[in-house]
C-alpha cells in the first residue's frame, strides 16, 4: 500500500499523507487537490474506493430536522419523483447537536452524489457564508435550493410566495372583523421570515391603515416550534390581539395552547392561522386554518430543475415562486365584538385546557 501511495502521490504532485486523506474521505482537502489525486488513481489503473466512485444515480436531499411534518412531506414528494426517474434518493437530515449541513454535504460529495437538493438550508440565512455553495460548483456537483433566495448563489431556487401568503391570511381575518392581528414567526435573519414580514406589513397597511410602526408592534420573533409559537402568541395576546398568524403549523399549535392557558377559546376569543398545512393539522382540536405550502409542485419543480442541471442544461439564476393556498378550517371565526381577549377568571387554573 505504501508503494501505491508513493506512486499516486508522485503522479498527483502531492504528499502521501494527502493521498491517504483523499482515499479515506477526510475533510479539508482542496477540490483541485482531490481531483488530482482521483485522476492519478484512474491513470495508474488503481480501483477507487467505493465512496469515491461516481454514482450517477445517487441524489442527496439535505433537510433540517424532521420534527416539523412539512419536511418529511416534502422529502416524500422529492424521493418519489427521483425514484420514478431511476435515481436513488438519499435523505440527509440535520439534527440539533448532530451533523451539520456542511458535514452532510461533504458526505454526499465523497460518495459521488450526482446532485443535491437543499431544503431550508444555510442559503436561507442572510448572515451565513455562501462560500459553501461556491465549493459545490468547484466540485461540479449540481444543486437546487428550496425555501430562501440569495442573489449571491448561482443556482435554481424554489419557494412559496411568502408575501402573498400573508396577504391571504390578513384578508381572511379582516373579513371576519379582526382589526388587531399579530404575526408570530422565527428569527428575522431568514429570507422566508423577512418576506412574510414584508407581506404582513403591506397587508395591514392596505386593509387596516396601520403605519409601519404600528404594524411592527404586532410582530413577534421566536423559534419555529410549538414552544416558540406559545411564547410569541403570549406576547401578542398581551398586546390585545384577537387573531394570530403563525409562520408554521407547529407555532400555531403553540398559539392555541397559549390562548387556552389563559382560559380563552379558539376560535371564540382568538383566531389562529398556521403555515404549511402539515398532514396532521386537519385532525387537531380545532382543525387548523392554515396556509398550504404547495408541496407537490415545489418538490416536482425542484427535481426537474436538478435534472436539467445534471444534464448540463443549467437553469438561469432565478427563483421559481409557487402560489400558496388558504385552507379554512375551525381555528378562525368572527372577531369577538366590543372586547379584546383577556383571561377568564371564572375557572380555576387546573381546569384550563392546555
Amino acid at each position: 500500500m505504501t508503494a501505491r501511495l508513493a506512486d499516486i502521490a508522485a503522479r498527483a504532485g502531492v504528499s502521501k499523507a494527502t493521498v491517504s486523506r483523499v482515499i479515506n474521505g477526510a475533510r479539508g482537502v482542496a477540490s483541485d487537490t482531490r481531483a488530482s489525486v482521483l485522476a492519478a488513481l484512474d491513470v495508474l489503473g488503481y480501483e477507487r474506493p467505493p465512496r469515491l466512485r461516481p454514482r450517477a444515480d445517487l441524489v442527496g436531499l439535505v433537510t433540517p430536522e424532521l420534527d416539523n411534518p412539512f419536511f418529511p412531506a416534502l422529502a416524500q414528494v422529492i424521493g418519489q419523483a427521483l425514484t420514478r426517474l431511476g435515481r436513488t434518493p438519499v435523505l440527509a437530515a440535520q439534527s440539533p447537536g448532530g451533523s451539520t449541513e456542511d458535514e452532510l454535504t461533504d458526505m454526499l460529495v465523497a460518495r459521488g452524489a450526482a446532485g443535491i437538493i437543499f431544503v431550508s438550508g444555510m442559503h436561507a440565512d442572510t448572515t451565513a457564508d455562501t462560500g459553501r455553495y461556491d465549493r459545490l460548483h468547484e466540485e461540479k456537483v449540481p444543486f437546487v435550493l428550496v425555501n430562501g433566495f440569495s442573489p449571491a448563489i448561482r443556482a435554481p431556487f424554489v419557494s412559496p410566495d411568502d408575501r402573498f401568503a400573508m396577504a391571504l391570511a390578513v384578508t381572511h381575518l379582516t373579513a371576519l372583523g379582526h382589526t388587531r392581528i399579530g404575526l408570530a414567526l422565527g428569527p428575522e435573519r431568514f429570507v422566508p421570515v423577512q418576506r412574510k414580514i414584508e407581506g404582513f406589513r403591506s397587508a395591514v397597511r392596505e386593509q387596516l391603515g396601520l403605519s409601519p410602526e404600528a404594524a411592527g408592534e404586532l410582530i413577534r420573533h421566536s423559534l419555529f416550534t410549538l414552544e416558540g409559537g406559545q411564547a410569541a402568541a403570549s406576547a401578542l395576546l398581551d398586546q390585545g390581539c384577537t387573531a394570530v398568524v403563525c409562520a408554521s403549523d407547529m407555532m400555531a399549535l403553540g398559539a392555541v395552547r397559549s390562548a387556552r392557558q389563559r382560559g380563552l377559546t379558539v376560535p371564540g376569543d382568538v383566531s389562529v392561522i398556521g403555515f404549511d398545512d402539515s398532514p396532521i393539522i386537519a385532525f387537531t382540536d380545532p382543525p387548523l386554518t392554515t396556509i398550504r405550502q404547495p408541496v407537490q409542485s415545489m418538490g416536482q419543480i425542484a427535481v426537474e430543475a436538478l435534472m436539467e442541471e445534471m444534464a448540463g442544461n443549467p437553469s438561469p439564476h432565478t427563483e421559481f415562486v409557487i402560489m400558496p393556498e388558504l385552507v379554512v378550517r375551525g381555528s378562525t371565526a368572527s372577531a369577538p365584538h366590543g372586547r379584546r381577549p383577556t383571561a377568564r377568571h371564572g375557572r380555576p387554573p387546573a381546569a384550563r385546557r392546555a
Side-chain angles (χ1 to χ4, degrees):
M1 176 58 108
T2 302
R4 288 184 179 182
L5 288 177
D7 293 342
I8 298 167
R11 182 77 188 188
V14 299
S15 68
K16 291 191 292 183
T18 298
V19 173
S20 178
R21 294 181 66 195
V22 171
I23 290 175
N24 290 304
R27 301 182 63 195
V29 179
S31 58
D32 290 344
T33 302
R34 185 184 301 274
S36 296
V37 172
L38 295 179
L41 277 169
D42 296 338
V43 169
L44 294 173
Y46 292 128
E47 184 177 1
R48 293 189 185 190
R51 69 169 65 88
L52 299 179
R53 296 171 191 167
R55 290 284 305 278
D57 67 324
L58 192 153
V59 175
L61 173 61
V62 180
T63 73
E65 41 71 31
L66 298 177
D67 291 343
N68 186 330
F70 167 74
F71 295 121
L74 184 59
Q76 181 177 12
V77 170
I78 291 174
Q80 289 174 343
L82 288 169
T83 301
R84 286 194 297 269
L85 294 170
R87 307 289 177 171
T88 303
V90 176
L91 176 62
Q94 303 172 61
S95 59
S99 299
T100 65
E101 178 179 313
D102 289 340
E103 291 169 341
L104 295 173
T105 302
D106 287 345
M107 175 196 72
L108 291 168
V109 171
R111 283 159 177 75
I116 302 175
I117 297 174
F118 294 92
V119 178
S120 299
M122 298 302 292
H123 63 278
D125 187 339
T126 58
T127 65
D129 177 16
T130 59
R132 54 177 49 86
Y133 303 108
D134 294 332
R135 290 190 287 276
L136 280 178
H137 283 303
E138 295 171 2
E139 298 271 5
K140 299 188 180 345
V141 178
F143 59 94
V144 172
L145 305 162
V146 179
N147 275 353
F149 178 79
S150 171
I153 304 172
R154 295 180 292 112
F157 291 80
V158 182
S159 303
D161 191 329
D162 291 294
R163 299 181 184 90
F164 181 67
M166 294 300 99
L168 287 174
V170 172
T171 298
H172 174 61
L173 292 170
T174 55
L176 292 172
H178 294 274
T179 59
R180 193 74 177 169
I181 302 169
L183 176 62
L185 27 64
E188 192 170 3
R189 68 180 186 273
F190 294 109
V191 172
V193 170
Q194 295 174 2
R195 290 178 169 181
K196 287 182 176 69
I197 292 174
E198 292 171 8
F200 178 79
R201 287 179 181 273
S202 177
V204 296
R205 182 185 68 247
E206 293 175 2
Q207 305 205 35
L208 298 173
L210 296 187
S211 67
E213 293 76 17
E217 295 176 358
L218 302 175
I219 299 172
R220 289 294 181 272
H221 295 279
S222 187
L223 300 176
F224 289 107
T225 61
L226 189 149
E227 293 78 11
Q230 182 176 349
S234 179
L236 291 169
L237 293 176
D238 287 341
Q239 292 285 100
C241 291
T242 62
V244 180
V245 181
C246 299
S248 77
D249 288 337
M250 296 301 291
M251 293 190 80
L253 294 179
V256 172
R257 174 189 285 182
S258 178
R260 287 176 171 170
Q261 286 182 338
R262 294 171 179 242
L264 304 174
T265 63
V266 177
D269 298 306
V270 180
S271 288
V272 176
I273 295 181
F275 192 95
D276 288 336
D277 195 27
S278 308
I280 64 170
I281 291 305
F283 307 100
T284 57
D285 178 25
L288 192 66
T289 295
T290 188
I291 301 293
R292 175 179 292 162
Q293 286 211 64
V295 173
Q296 193 71 39
S297 297
M298 290 171 62
Q300 189 63 46
I301 290 173
V303 170
E304 291 174 0
L306 184 63
M307 292 303 103
E308 289 295 314
E309 295 278 318
M310 291 166 55
N313 304 312
S315 303
H317 178 208
T318 189
E319 182 178 23
F320 299 93
V321 180
I322 318 299
M323 302 302 287
E325 175 187 358
L326 176 69
V327 181
V328 179
R329 297 195 181 99
S331 65
T332 51
S334 298
H337 294 293
R339 60 185 174 85
R340 292 181 177 182
T342 55
R344 298 180 179 180
H345 301 292
R347 296 161 58 193
R352 294 175 184 172
R353 296 177 65 185

